[in-house]
Amino acid sequence: EGINVLEHTEASEVRYDGQHFILKTNAGTLKAEQLLVATGRTPNTENLDLKTIGVQTERGAITINDRMQTSNSRVYAAGDCTNQPKFVYVAAAGGSRAAINMTGGDAHLDLSAMPEVIFTDPQVATVGLSEADAKTGGYVTESRTLGLENVPRALVNFDTQGFIKIVAESGSGRLLGVQVVAGEAGELIQAAVMAIRAGMTVNELADELFPYLTMVEGL
């Protein structure tokens, strides 16, 4: 698609000559008419004077526990102003639990099986642990990667670009994580979320009935 991706590249200097942005990098000099600088998001909390009420923050993000409670037990927070992952569905789930807890309930937010989707084309989706993260966490893993050319739905779609990867605990076969690159990765990943949440093994997952000619059959 005409996109050139430079890996392990850092810019040391940026200047604008009136027509072009000129970047000096360790991969050479780049010139472009437009420049996008993506540096992440910072919670808009600096004017809330949170210190005066004993609400702790880290780099502007309000620190909360799994009950959405801040360091001030009378104050709750949810969404992108907190130190939780910045996803719409995490914010919605946190908001409902905060409301329950503020009115005397006891609701917790478990992010151990949290899906993440990047809506590129093809989509990229993940849940649980990657192979590298699992090994860092002390797990002995066994992994399998399935190219989409082996998935009938992808063949029918004439789009076999991508793969499905499953990471499991060696021995027990317990599912630890799933990573998907596919046109419908965002739809497929939810089945993996439920399987990880249920503590399923790869054999238990394989024994389930999946509709024929669906992408999720690739699991």
Side-chain angles (χ1 to χ4, degrees):
E1 296 183 357
I3 298 171
N4 185 23
V5 179
L6 302 178
E7 296 182 332
H8 310 294
T9 305
E10 294 184 355
S12 58
E13 180 184 324
V14 180
R15 62 186 177 89
Y16 184 63
D17 65 5
Q19 289 185 313
H20 296 95
F21 291 94
I22 301 170
L23 282 73
K24 285 187 178 180
T25 78
N26 56 308
T29 300
L30 306 176
K31 181 184 290 187
E33 293 180 355
Q34 295 185 355
L35 175 67
L36 170 66
V37 181
T39 58
R41 289 169 288 175
T42 301
N44 186 19
T45 60
E46 59 184 16
N47 294 324
L48 296 180
D49 204 14
L50 295 174
K51 287 184 179 180
T52 62
I53 58 171
V55 173
Q56 293 181 356
T57 63
E58 183 178 352
R59 298 178 64 184
I62 299 172
T63 304
I64 59 173
N65 59 24
D66 65 350
R67 298 183 70 251
M68 310 297 111
Q69 194 173 36
T70 71
S71 53
N72 181 334
S73 61
R74 293 169 57 86
V75 178
Y76 294 77
D80 290 359
C81 66
T82 72
N83 60 343
Q84 288 189 329
K86 292 174 173 51
F87 296 103
V88 172
Y89 41 92
V90 173
S96 64
R97 285 159 177 78
I100 291 170
N101 293 333
M102 284 189 289
T103 52
D106 186 25
H108 298 256
L109 182 57
D110 182 3
L111 298 177
S112 60
M114 182 192 70
E116 300 179 47
V117 184
I118 304 172
F119 292 100
T120 48
D121 183 16
Q123 296 176 9
V124 180
T126 182
V127 63
L129 300 175
S130 67
E131 188 174 6
D133 288 339
K135 289 180 179 179
T136 300
Y139 291 97
V140 178
T141 66
E142 192 168 349
S143 303
R144 294 289 187 276
T145 300
L146 181 74
L148 294 192
E149 66 273 10
N150 299 293
V151 180
R153 177 75 259 178
L155 292 171
V156 170
N157 290 348
F158 297 102
D159 185 5
T160 56
Q161 181 177 339
F163 62 87
I164 301 169
K165 180 175 181 176
I166 285 182
V167 181
E169 184 178 31
S170 184
S172 72
R174 182 168 62 94
L175 196 63
L176 296 176
V178 175
Q179 292 82 47
V180 182
V181 175
E184 300 87 2
E187 306 293 335
L188 187 158
I189 202 66
Q190 191 60 31
V193 172
M194 305 305 285
I196 291 176
R197 181 79 69 189
M200 295 179 72
T201 67
V202 288
N203 286 336
E204 289 171 337
L205 182 64
D207 285 340
E208 292 295 325
L209 292 175
F210 290 93
Y212 181 62
L213 278 184
T214 60
M215 290 299 295
V216 74
E217 182 194 8
L219 285 175

